Amino acid sequence: MTPRGTIIILSGAKGAYTSALSTVVAGILGWRRARFSDFIRQQVAAQGGNADDTTTLQHLGQSLVRERLSEFVQSVLAMAEWTPGQNLVLDGLRHAEVFRELQAQAGGSCDLRVVHVAVDDVAERADR
């Protein structure tokens, strides 16, 4: 019987420290980690754009979700060198469509668990 993995998917607003949290969780568990934003940054840079420009990143991210969703999700999983049945920590879920595509691509071999990180107060974010 093929082992069933788990994918922990972190979501949260900008400034909620999902990146730091995903790094720590992946390190503690010894799991692979990938960030949706890393793939988007790579794509922006490959097109000669500024990979630090938030507006550019948001526009490309929206475009990937609307026009190349399957390829986008598959590419992020490939960045982590993930194969079906493996455990993974994914950072940066922003769209329900992306979650549904993850279910389609990985759900047969893994349990998907979404963790939404919420930091209500801007002052609390600064303290972190």
Side-chain angles (χ1 to χ4, degrees):
M1 176 179 218
T2 304
R4 189 163 179 83
T6 298
I7 299 178
I8 298 172
I9 309 154
L10 297 174
S11 75
K14 186 175 180 180
Y17 297 94
T18 61
S19 180
L21 181 59
S22 69
T23 299
V24 170
V25 169
I28 289 170
L29 296 174
W31 295 5
R32 296 174 190 270
R33 173 183 171 265
R35 293 174 48 194
F36 289 101
S37 62
D38 286 344
F39 177 77
I40 296 168
R41 285 178 194 281
Q42 285 180 356
Q43 294 300 300
V44 167
Q47 295 171 8
N50 179 356
D52 293 321
D53 179 43
T54 304
T55 302
T56 301
L57 295 171
Q58 288 174 340
H59 285 207
L60 180 58
Q62 289 287 339
S63 175
L64 289 168
V65 170
R66 278 192 318 267
E67 299 166 15
R68 299 179 5 214
L69 180 59
S70 180
E71 178 187 339
F72 175 42
V73 170
Q74 185 176 28
S75 296
V76 172
L77 294 172
M79 278 180 53
E81 299 178 356
W82 178 85
T83 57
Q86 285 185 327
N87 298 317
L88 180 66
V89 176
L90 274 177
D91 176 30
L93 180 66
R94 299 280 185 268
H95 302 275
E97 298 91 343
V98 172
F99 179 74
R100 286 191 291 273
E101 185 61 30
L102 275 167
Q103 284 180 308
Q105 290 190 27
S109 69
C110 291
D111 295 316
L112 279 65
R113 302 289 184 232
V114 176
V115 177
H116 181 74
V117 180
V119 179
D120 294 332
D121 188 324
V122 174
E124 287 183 38
R125 291 181 192 180
D127 289 344
R128 289 184 177 36

